[in-house]
Amino acid sequence: DQAWLACRTALAHQETLARLRERWMAQGHPDVHARIGLHTGEALVGNFGSEGRLDYTALGDTVNLASRLEGLNKRYGTWILLTESTLAEVADRVVARRIDRVAVKGRAGGTLIHELVGLRGQVDPALLERNAQYEAALDLYFAMRFEEAGQAFANLESSDPPSRVMRERCATYVADPPPGDWDGVHVMQQK
């Protein structure tokens, strides 16, 4: 049940770090944050190298995509992003919202990414409502109704960083629409 354990661990990590951050900042230490990317798939895990230099690590496309998700959190203002393959294994036990469909650097195909919000039954109803509004705006965006989507994202953006990102992208597409065969995939140019 790796996907479930990973989601629970990521959420517990963020909760613990938030508590520690308060204490550390009160002691004059810097504001510490951590972002997490979760993707489910096959990977090579173990000791790699030679006698002179041996390293325990994980390798493969699965690991690379999880790493790219970790970095994408900064762009969207989120803390935990996961892929459709991870969500498929835990959808009945967690709350997640669709964020975007992206092609990360080094990968050709698009991936639907989600923000891990919390455990099912433990998420504030106001947050569930915000997530529903965001996903409705995202549906407008994927339908190429960029003006409507941009307005819907603008209504959320004061309290929701991903909404700002998507509103700005909508404004770009209003000025310069994508081709008619656009599949909704945003190609990330940076890691």
Side-chain angles (χ1 to χ4, degrees):
D1 213 4
Q2 298 95 333
W4 170 240
L5 295 173
C7 289
R8 281 189 25 214
T9 301
L11 290 166
H13 171 81
Q14 293 296 6
E15 289 173 15
T16 301
L17 185 56
R19 284 193 309 273
L20 290 171
R21 184 171 40 249
E22 285 182 31
R23 184 170 24 145
W24 291 339
M25 289 180 67
Q27 296 170 351
H29 297 290
D31 188 9
V32 177
H33 294 271
R35 294 180 171 94
I36 300 169
L38 300 174
H39 177 51
T40 301
E42 293 186 13
L44 297 173
V45 180
N47 289 313
F48 294 91
S50 64
E51 274 186 40
R53 182 174 176 142
L54 197 62
D55 189 27
Y56 184 83
T57 191
L59 301 170
D61 184 60
T62 297
V63 178
N64 292 338
L65 182 53
S67 176
R68 297 291 190 261
L69 291 181
E70 183 271 331
L72 280 179
N73 277 296
K74 186 172 185 178
R75 175 165 179 74
Y76 290 98
T78 54
W79 299 107
I80 306 170
L81 287 176
L82 59 138
T83 60
E84 196 77 6
S85 63
T86 301
L87 183 59
E89 294 191 24
V90 297
D92 60 332
R93 297 181 271 182
V94 302
V95 174
R97 71 167 163 161
R98 289 177 297 139
I99 293 292
D100 199 358
R101 189 176 297 133
V102 299
V104 298
K105 189 167 177 72
R107 205 159 200 255
T111 301
L112 188 59
I113 60 174
H114 303 262
E115 177 186 24
L116 180 59
V117 177
L119 300 178
R120 193 161 297 281
Q122 298 179 12
V123 177
D124 183 330
L127 194 54
L128 295 174
E129 176 58 29
R130 185 219 53 196
N131 290 351
Q133 291 174 11
Y134 181 94
E135 289 193 0
L138 192 63
D139 288 339
L140 291 170
Y141 169 81
F142 287 144
M144 299 178 70
R145 294 166 55 186
F146 300 118
E147 286 187 42
E148 293 170 74
Q151 184 56 54
F153 286 125
N155 293 338
L156 299 169
E157 100 175 80
S158 65
S159 63
D160 186 47
S163 293
R164 179 188 46 79
V165 172
M166 297 306 289
R167 182 201 43 82
E168 290 171 359
R169 194 174 313 148
C170 286
T172 299
Y173 284 148
V174 166
D176 185 19
D181 63 348
W182 179 72
D183 59 4
V185 174
H186 182 75
V187 178
M188 305 308 266
Q189 301 300 326
Q190 299 172 330
K191 289 185 179 181

